[in-house]
Amino acid sequence: GENVEQHPSTLSVQEGDSAVIKCTYSDSASNYFPWYKQELGKGPQLIIDIRSNVGEKKDQRIAVTLNKTAKHFSLHITETQPEDSAVYFCASHTGGFKTIFGAGTRLFVKA
Amino acid sequence: DSGVTQTPKHLITATGQRVTLRCSPRSGDLSVYWYQQSLDQGLQFLIQYYNGEERAKGNILERFSAQQFPDLHSELNLSSLELGDSALYFCASKGPSGAGELFFGEGSRLTVL
C-alpha cells in the first residue's frame, strides 16, 4: 500500500548549522509533497510544499528537493535557530486522494 | 488559528465506552480528514470525506466510524474503547482544488483508563 518513510527520527544540530530530513514515497501516482511542522501541543502546520512538476523550491531558510525517479524528497533548513526545534513531518498526496505522512523527525536546535 | 475547530480538547473515559469527536472545517472547505497520533508516533490517516461523501479510507478500525453532515462538520465515533485508543485525534480540512495544504485543528486528546 501507500507508504512514506522518513529519516532520521531524531536530529540534533547546533544553532546556525543546517538540518536535512529525507523521505521516500511508494506511490508513483503521488503528485504533491508537503512538509509540516508540529510544535508542542499544536496541530501540524504547513511550512513548504512541492508539486511533482518541480524539482526544487526555496522559501528563505527552507528548501525542498524532489527526485521523482528515485521517489525521494528532502527538507533542508539552513542557519537553524532554536525556534526551529519541533517535529517535522513529510507527506505525500497519493493518486487515491489520501495524504500519507511520514513518521516524523524530532529536531533539536542547541543554542 | 487554522480556522478548524475541534471539540472536545480533552476527554477521559473508561474502556468499553463510546465517544464522539467533532470537527468544524474552515469556512468553504469541503474536505475533512481524520488522523490519529499516538504518543511519539506519526499521523495515521483514518478517513476522508468530501462534501458529505466518504472519499478515502485508511487503517480505520471497525469500531470507529465517521460522517460528514450537510453543514460540512464531521464527527468521528469511537466505540468499545480500548486502552490503546488513547491518542490525539486531529481533524484537517482542505480547499476544493485537488492536492493542497491541509489545515489542522488543535486536536482532541482522548485518554482511555
Side-chain angles (χ1 to χ4, degrees), chain A residues 31-32 34 36 38 41-46 49 51 87 89 93 96-104 106, chain B residues 33 35 37 40-43 45 48 55-58 88 90 94 98-107:
Chain A
N31 57 8
Y32 173 68
Y36 289 82
Q38 185 178 25
K42 296 188 177 181
Q45 191 167 12
L46 182 78
D49 56 15
R51 296 188 184 268
V87 179
F89 291 98
H93 185 89
F97 306 107
K98 300 177 188 178
T99 298
I100 304 297
F101 285 79
R106 191 173 295 275
Chain B
Y33 294 71
Y35 288 88
Q37 186 175 40
D40 286 340
Q41 296 287 316
L43 293 154
F45 171 68
Q48 183 215 349
R55 175 65 68 92
K57 216 166 185 174
L88 257 175
F90 284 105
K94 189 175 73 64
E101 179 177 0
L102 295 181
F103 293 87
F104 283 83
E106 296 204 336

Side-chain angles (χ1 to χ4, degrees), chain A residues 26-94:
Chain A
S26 62
D27 185 353
S28 56
S30 296
N31 57 8
Y32 173 68
F33 305 91
W35 286 87
Y36 289 82
K37 177 182 181 183
Q38 185 178 25
E39 296 177 338
L40 199 61
K42 296 188 177 181
Q45 191 167 12
L46 182 78
I47 55 171
I48 195 167
D49 56 15
I50 191 167
R51 296 188 184 268
S52 57
N53 58 348
V54 174
E56 185 172 355
K57 183 176 177 181
K58 190 172 181 182
D59 182 4
Q60 300 183 346
R61 297 186 296 108
I62 294 174
V64 59
T65 59
L66 172 64
N67 181 330
K68 281 181 59 180
T69 303
K71 296 183 189 169
H72 289 170
F73 58 116
S74 300
L75 177 72
H76 303 252
I77 305 174
T78 58
E79 300 171 22
T80 52
Q81 301 166 4
E83 52 265 38
D84 294 329
S85 295
V87 179
Y88 291 81
F89 291 98
C90 63
S92 104
H93 185 89
T94 71

